[in-house]
Amino acid sequence: MTVQMTASQPTAPQASTAPQASIVVPAYNVAATLPATLEALLAQSFTDFEIIIVDDGSTDTTLQVARGYAADPRVRIVSQANRGLAGARNTGIHHARGAFVGFCDADDLWAPGKLAIHVVHLRTAPAVGISYSGSALIDEAGRPLGLAQAPRLRRVAARHVFKRNPVGNGSAPVIRRAALDAIAWRPAGETERDWWFDESFRQSEDIETWLRLALTTRWQLEGVPGALTRYRISGTGLSAGTERQFEAWERMVGKLTPLAPGFFDRHAPAARAYQLRYLARRAISSRDADRAAGLARASLRASLRPLVEEPAKTLTTCLAAGALAVLGPAAITRAEALLRRRPA
């Protein structure tokens, strides 16, 4: 692993000189979107932070783009052979010096006050290990889609993480370093650093980490109000990825079940139904009628709990999957346009 710093690389930095917060930016072939991400991070109202860009073996001009920000002493660049998103985050955590560690994928954006709000939250709530926010969705060009992730913010138990993943996405949380270190481990064969995220996962690595923390530590997860993250939705590969994502989710369940067998016996059917419903909505977004209908049916077979707990969203998903199959993609596109124009 080669490390390239924008300033002299610190050796055993003193606590007084370390920034209060570190923002890890995993970057793999993101030359087109990285500038907007970095500009948003550098514009944070809370200024005592460092940005660690982890170039994860990019083959485009990502590294050159990152170097364009090297004059700012808050920016550091770490280059490594490709290890995937989890591996890039782990490398960033390894190099982070802050007591609080945030993550922002290199195609997402942070609102200017996001870091300040999370730092205040973590300072004033010492039992909270993961602070997160809602997210506004943007398209590939950065335009608002008029949709948002508005998660549960308070009294979050492990069952809520398992069923609905309130953290939402990897660019939403800012995490207390002590909470991260409570779940660190070093697998056999790893010679460079610990793991916090499981690098054997290329999908579901986020929820695996949040759920493992909820099941094995006393740290709490708690959200702050507002859509403070701009989460980019790609229109390519959505449906093709649903099968792989479900396989990764099931592998996550298999990995964590030995930690709390009773918990998984009670909650896995409902959580599986929620996951299948989520994937059905992704298939609807990519206009894959057969896949959407199959996933919607599989969700209902797994458990009726989503229908009881969230009847509107579950019925809407089933109806949309049916309409896509019967009326075709154009009908869904028109319905989505009408919903976006509807007054709040």
Side-chain angles (χ1 to χ4, degrees):
M1 180 186 301
T2 59
V3 180
Q4 301 167 354
M5 300 296 190
T6 64
S8 58
Q9 183 178 348
T11 57
Q14 298 297 315
S16 60
T17 62
Q20 294 186 57
S22 302
I23 307 172
V24 175
V25 181
Y28 176 70
N29 289 352
V30 286
T33 57
L34 182 60
T37 297
L38 295 177
E39 294 291 344
L41 296 178
L42 290 169
Q44 291 297 299
S45 60
F46 180 85
T47 58
D48 189 12
F49 66 86
E50 63 180 353
I51 297 173
I52 303 169
I53 306 169
V54 182
D55 174 50
D56 192 36
S58 296
T59 58
D60 67 352
T61 59
T62 291
L63 183 56
Q64 290 89 330
V65 170
R67 286 172 176 161
Y69 291 84
D72 193 309
R74 295 172 294 178
V75 176
R76 298 193 288 157
I77 303 170
V78 180
S79 293
Q80 65 180 25
N82 183 263
R83 296 183 69 150
L85 181 57
R89 287 178 180 157
N90 285 341
T91 296
I93 297 168
H94 175 72
H95 287 279
R97 297 177 295 156
F100 310 118
V101 181
F103 303 94
C104 187
D105 291 348
D107 55 354
D108 296 333
L109 308 172
W110 277 12
K114 178 175 171 70
L115 183 58
I117 291 170
H118 289 298
V119 168
V120 169
H121 183 206
L122 291 166
R123 282 176 177 168
T124 57
V128 173
I130 299 181
S131 175
Y132 58 90
S133 71
S135 300
L137 307 188
I138 58 176
D139 67 12
E140 291 174 313
R143 297 181 296 255
L145 288 171
L147 303 171
Q149 296 174 342
R152 181 187 185 97
L153 302 180
R154 299 288 185 269
R155 296 184 294 276
V156 175
R159 67 182 184 276
H160 300 119
V161 178
F162 189 26
K163 291 196 294 185
R164 300 289 282 114
N165 184 16
V167 180
N169 63 79
S171 297
V174 176
I175 306 177
R176 197 182 300 274
R177 178 61 188 249
L180 282 168
D181 287 346
I183 58 170
W185 88 103
R186 184 168 294 202
E190 174 60 65
T191 61
E192 296 182 350
R193 48 152 174 73
D194 288 342
W195 287 17
W196 295 264
F197 292 86
D198 189 334
E199 296 183 29
S200 70
F201 284 81
R202 291 297 175 120
Q203 292 178 298
S204 296
E205 73 286 338
D206 290 347
I207 189 172
E208 191 277 332
T209 303
W210 320 146
L211 187 54
R212 178 160 37 90
L213 183 140
L215 289 171
T216 63
T217 78
R218 294 182 178 272
W219 290 108
Q220 298 174 11
L221 290 81
E222 191 170 272
V224 297
L228 304 180
T229 299
R230 306 291 182 262
Y231 180 57
R232 195 180 304 266
I233 300 296
S234 171
T236 60
L238 284 177
S239 181
T242 56
E243 184 173 357
R244 291 193 301 272
Q245 185 157 348
F246 187 62
E247 290 173 353
W249 187 90
E250 288 286 12
R251 189 162 72 86
M252 178 270 297
V253 173
K255 175 194 171 182
L256 297 183
T257 293
L259 297 177
F263 171 86
F264 284 94
D265 285 345
R266 289 191 302 275
H267 299 296
R272 185 172 290 107
Y274 275 109
Q275 179 69 7
L276 289 163
R277 188 189 70 176
Y278 162 71
L279 295 174
R281 295 173 75 89
R282 285 188 58 177
I284 291 166
S285 295
S286 63
R287 305 299 188 255
D288 187 336
D290 291 342
R291 185 72 175 149
L295 288 164
R297 289 193 298 268
S299 174
L300 294 174
R301 287 195 300 268
S303 173
L304 294 178
R305 182 63 60 182
L307 183 61
V308 173
E309 295 176 344
E310 297 183 359
K313 191 167 188 177
T314 303
L315 288 171
T316 299
T317 302
C318 293
L319 290 171
L324 179 62
V326 175
L327 302 176
I332 301 299
T333 301
R334 287 194 297 269
E336 289 176 344
L338 288 172
L339 287 172
R340 288 177 188 143
R341 290 200 297 265
R342 186 176 61 185

